[in-house]
Amino acid sequence: MSNAMSERAEHASRRPLWPWQVLLLVGLFLFWHVLTRSEVLPPFFFGEPLQVLGRIWDWFASGRIFPHLGVTLLETLLAFVLGTVLGLACGLWLGLSPRAARLLDPYITAFNSMPRVILAPIFAVWFGLGIWSKVLLGVTLVFFIVFFSVYHGVREVSPVLLNNARMLGATRTQLLRHVYLPSATGWVFASLHASVGMAFVGAVVGEYLGSARGVGYLILQAEGVFDVNTVFAGVIVLTLAALGLDRLVTLVERRMMNWRPKVQEHDLHG
Amino acid sequence: MMRGHPANSSIVARFMSSAPQSVPALVLDQVTCTFPGRGSTRAAYTAVQAASLTVHDGEFVSLVGPTGCGKSTLLNLAAGLQAPTAGTVHAFGERLRGLNGQAGYLFQADALFPWRTALDNVAIGLELRGMPRSQARERAGDWLRRVRLGAHAAKYPHEMSGGMRKRAALAQTLILEPRMLLMDEPFSALDVQTRQLMENELLELWAQERRCVLFVTHDLEEAIALSDRVVVLSAGPASRPIAHYAVDLPRPRDVQEIALHPRFVELHRAIWSALKQEVMKAHEQRDV
Ligand SMILES: Nc1ncnc2c1ncn2[C@@H]1O[C@H](COP(=O)(O)OP(=O)(O)OP(=O)(O)O)[C@@H](O)[C@H]1O
Ligand SMILES: [Mg+2]
């Protein structure tokens, strides 16, 4: 609670930026509106913002969007959680056993540099058109982000902290639980913002390549009948959902990382 | 099994057990520590060679020597964090293999766990030994009050001052009641006032239950004020103890007052003349 209070105080001391951000958005839509209304840009290809907003309103008012959005979010969340847990576990494991790391090194590099989106059709064949083929695609994207940050982070755990824990009587498993894991949460959170976006990409691309539900599926269908407005509406809904998820990660991060000194990023730039 | 006892009974027990036969708390016998060079770019470096040192139970011994001579290395050898290349280390009569379970170690660098509050940092040792969390925190609270941090139990390390962090680290180590305390320049990062305050506090804590202490410092005055014995190490490489000075100053001491004692001044002059030569040697080697 006191955390939120101090944050609010901090915000009040700075001039709020959100009115400008909203103004920028409105300006952008206005620009779009004027260009397409005056036919400088053909509305057939570039859509019409009023129609797009109307479509979004329609979706939410009628509730038609919710099953689709629900499926996409479920896929994203599953991919995110599974990818993070797997990445964390493998990162810790390989970070702590250099022998295994050396053995697997070329495979990890190869798999990481492979364009994994290409796997989507294969996953569709293996796991069908349900949610799991999308989840798996998301997992392969999320996994490596988390894996690498944990894997490199493990080598940077302070040797003094490790020695201190050992002198205080920590066994090997206790070291993992009381030193490596808490250190790792820092690196994981640093990568979570990137990976939540990737989980989303996995879900939507998966849907786009073949599915019966989801926002990606809506976009695919609209493209089939050259309904550009619906495509844009879908993109905007996805963007808003991604922003929401990112915000959620930030909130959890603040809660879990309250032992860290507050970084004054604004002071650094200003 | 817990090592801890109520404070009073452990003092009595220690008096009775240490009276008849006194096994030295720590014996370094002809230990050598060579760090392998990395690849072909650097040769192996022998930090400590044929070093012998005995610390008796209840004794407060300080190690002084030029920077980089191997003081921390000797502590690591005593803690079992570093295995000797040659020679043996015995703790309370038992040959060390792996960590020294009898020792508590106060590190030169900050070693509090940043994700734990002061209270949880102090409690961690007991938790690791399987004590229930609530009980461990209760005992930790007692210890925080003993090092005068009672009001700061909920603070994270980054919210504490340097002196508070050192106090918390001291409580973190002492709560386990180690029979031997290894301290690596614990106060060198503190300002003079805080430092003298903490030196007096350390003497007070030490007087309550005379554990043996091996104390590393750059500061000769600190070494004399605190110790029963000051050991001078030679300049590296191949450093070893070259002179021992018994500090026959009365106890209890106050670090500020004791510095004015004529005997203190005498000891300081004698030890400094030995130490100075080593510091000069170390300096010349660096210039070459
Ligand atoms: N892991 C290591 N690998 C290689 N050389 C090392 C290692 N640890 C220490 N040394 C070398 O051993 C020597 C002694 O180091 P040590 O840390 O014991 O010095 P010190 O007396 O504690 O110095 P200071 O007073 O500055 O803390 C130094 O020359 C150092 O470079
Ligand atoms: Mg040192």
Side-chain angles (χ1 to χ4, degrees):
Chain A
M1 281 297 102
S2 66
N3 223 347
M5 293 267 285
S6 67
E7 244 152 56
R8 222 167 290 151
E10 199 187 312
H11 267 281
S13 69
R14 264 186 280 126
R15 229 176 307 143
L17 280 176
W18 66 265
W20 295 101
Q21 290 166 338
V22 170
L23 209 68
L24 196 66
L25 187 71
V26 172
L28 217 67
F29 267 87
L30 220 63
F31 187 60
W32 184 11
H33 178 73
V34 170
L35 284 185
T36 48
R37 183 41 70 85
S38 62
E39 310 248 336
V40 174
L41 295 175
F44 182 75
F45 295 116
F46 289 89
E48 284 161 287
L50 285 181
Q51 301 254 353
V52 170
L53 292 178
R55 181 61 39 81
I56 295 175
W57 173 256
D58 209 43
W59 275 346
F60 281 92
S62 67
R64 262 195 312 128
I65 187 76
F66 291 120
H68 295 288
L69 194 57
V71 165
T72 305
L73 284 179
L74 179 66
E75 290 160 357
T76 304
L77 215 69
L78 283 174
F80 179 63
V81 171
L82 288 177
T84 301
V85 169
L86 281 175
L88 180 62
C90 292
L92 281 174
W93 173 51
L94 287 188
L96 292 175
S97 40
R99 181 97 55 86
R102 271 205 301 279
L103 176 73
L104 295 179
D105 186 60
Y107 297 95
I108 292 165
T109 316
F111 205 57
N112 183 44
S113 39
M114 180 167 83
R116 271 159 280 136
V117 173
I118 300 303
L119 291 176
I122 302 178
F123 285 152
V125 172
W126 289 351
F127 301 100
L129 295 179
I131 66 167
W132 289 106
S133 56
K134 287 87 186 168
V135 170
L136 228 75
L137 183 63
V139 166
T140 62
L141 297 177
V142 169
F143 173 85
F144 282 93
I145 300 176
V146 177
F147 170 81
F148 278 109
S149 66
V150 172
Y151 177 66
H152 293 301
V154 165
R155 295 149 175 220
E156 274 155 37
V157 172
S158 151
V160 180
L161 283 191
L162 287 173
N163 280 343
N164 193 23
R166 291 176 65 205
M167 288 308 292
L168 292 171
T171 60
R172 234 183 108 77
T173 42
Q174 284 176 327
L175 277 187
L176 196 70
R177 174 149 169 246
H178 291 283
V179 185
Y180 284 109
L181 265 178
S183 301
T185 51
W187 318 315
V188 171
F189 273 112
S191 61
L192 282 195
H193 290 280
S195 39
V196 86
M198 276 303 179
F200 224 74
V201 168
V204 174
V205 169
E207 286 168 2
Y208 191 77
L209 291 177
S211 62
R213 261 205 284 178
V215 181
Y217 164 77
L218 284 184
I219 294 178
L220 179 66
Q221 270 204 325
E223 275 183 359
V225 296
F226 291 104
D227 180 0
V228 183
N229 288 328
T230 304
V231 173
F232 276 120
V235 170
I236 290 173
V237 168
L238 284 178
T239 308
L240 289 179
L243 274 179
L245 283 178
D246 195 73
R247 184 86 201 131
L248 214 65
V249 171
T250 308
L251 285 180
V252 176
E253 183 178 14
R254 287 224 181 113
R255 266 210 99 102
M256 283 189 67
M257 305 295 285
N258 62 351
W259 52 267
R260 277 202 171 171
K262 291 242 165 2
V263 183
Q264 310 250 294
E265 41 187 307
H266 297 278
D267 290 355
L268 284 178
H269 294 300
Chain B
M1 271 299 291
M2 299 298 312
R3 255 196 264 142
H5 311 277
N8 298 335
S9 72
S10 74
I11 293 177
V12 175
R14 202 149 297 152
F15 260 105
M16 306 226 293
S17 67
S18 65
Q21 29 66 286
S22 70
V23 185
L26 178 72
V27 181
L28 302 182
D29 187 20
Q30 297 284 314
V31 290
T32 297
C33 183
T34 304
F35 295 107
R38 250 180 283 132
S40 56
T41 50
R42 273 210 280 156
Y45 184 84
T46 301
V48 179
Q49 188 157 45
S52 295
L53 178 69
T54 302
V55 181
H56 293 283
D57 202 3
E59 197 182 16
F60 198 126
V61 175
S62 284
L63 292 177
V64 294
T67 181
C69 71
K71 302 183 291 296
S72 299
T73 305
L74 276 181
L75 281 198
N76 288 339
L77 287 164
L81 287 171
Q82 177 85 49
T85 320
T88 58
V89 181
H90 289 261
F92 293 98
E94 268 178 57
R95 172 123 187 231
L96 266 198
R97 292 173 212 289
L99 288 188
N100 183 348
Q102 313 275 7
Y105 197 149
L106 216 62
F107 291 85
Q108 190 167 358
D110 257 335
L112 291 177
F113 301 97
W115 46 84
R116 286 181 163 245
T117 60
L119 186 71
D120 288 332
N121 257 296
V122 177
I124 188 174
L126 295 175
E127 279 178 46
L128 292 174
R129 280 165 174 68
M131 187 186 268
R133 189 126 195 264
S134 57
Q135 206 180 335
R137 299 183 93 196
E138 199 175 304
R139 294 261 302 266
D142 293 341
W143 267 99
L144 274 182
R145 278 186 285 281
R146 272 177 90 167
V147 295
R148 304 185 194 179
L149 282 180
H152 306 284
K155 287 196 170 153
Y156 287 101
H158 77 91
E159 299 168 319
M160 297 192 258
S161 71
M164 287 158 75
R165 282 201 285 267
K166 280 298 169 200
R167 284 203 181 89
L170 194 62
Q172 184 184 55
T173 306
L174 290 181
I175 196 171
L176 298 175
E177 309 198 354
R179 294 175 75 188
M180 177 191 315
L181 200 52
L182 309 171
M183 305 176 83
D184 197 350
E185 304 193 28
F187 307 139
S188 59
L190 304 179
D191 62 277
V192 181
Q193 286 90 346
T194 315
R195 175 188 198 148
Q196 290 178 335
L197 208 70
M198 291 216 46
E199 286 164 1
N200 280 334
E201 284 169 15
L202 174 65
L203 280 181
E204 221 170 277
L205 285 170
W206 177 73
Q208 289 168 16
E209 301 168 46
R210 293 205 159 211
R211 306 172 204 293
C212 86
V213 180
L214 188 55
F215 190 96
V216 163
T217 177
H218 269 122
D219 182 347
L220 186 50
E221 293 188 15
E222 179 175 62
I224 300 171
L226 298 177
S227 320
D228 298 319
R229 184 151 56 102
V230 176
V231 177
V232 179
L233 297 177
S234 68
S239 173
R240 57 190 183 76
I242 46 165
H244 297 250
Y245 295 86
V247 179
D248 43 5
L249 290 167
R251 287 191 193 270
R253 299 176 191 164
D254 177 287
V255 292
Q256 275 151 295
E257 285 166 20
I258 203 79
L260 306 172
H261 200 285
R263 181 71 185 133
F264 182 99
V265 181
E266 228 174 271
L267 277 165
H268 191 283
R269 192 171 304 138
I271 303 174
W272 176 238
S273 69
L275 183 56
K276 197 169 152 192
Q277 287 180 5
E278 297 308 318
V279 172
M280 300 289 278
K281 259 190 246 166
H283 217 74
E284 279 160 26
Q285 280 166 9
R286 194 148 318 129
D287 289 344
V288 173

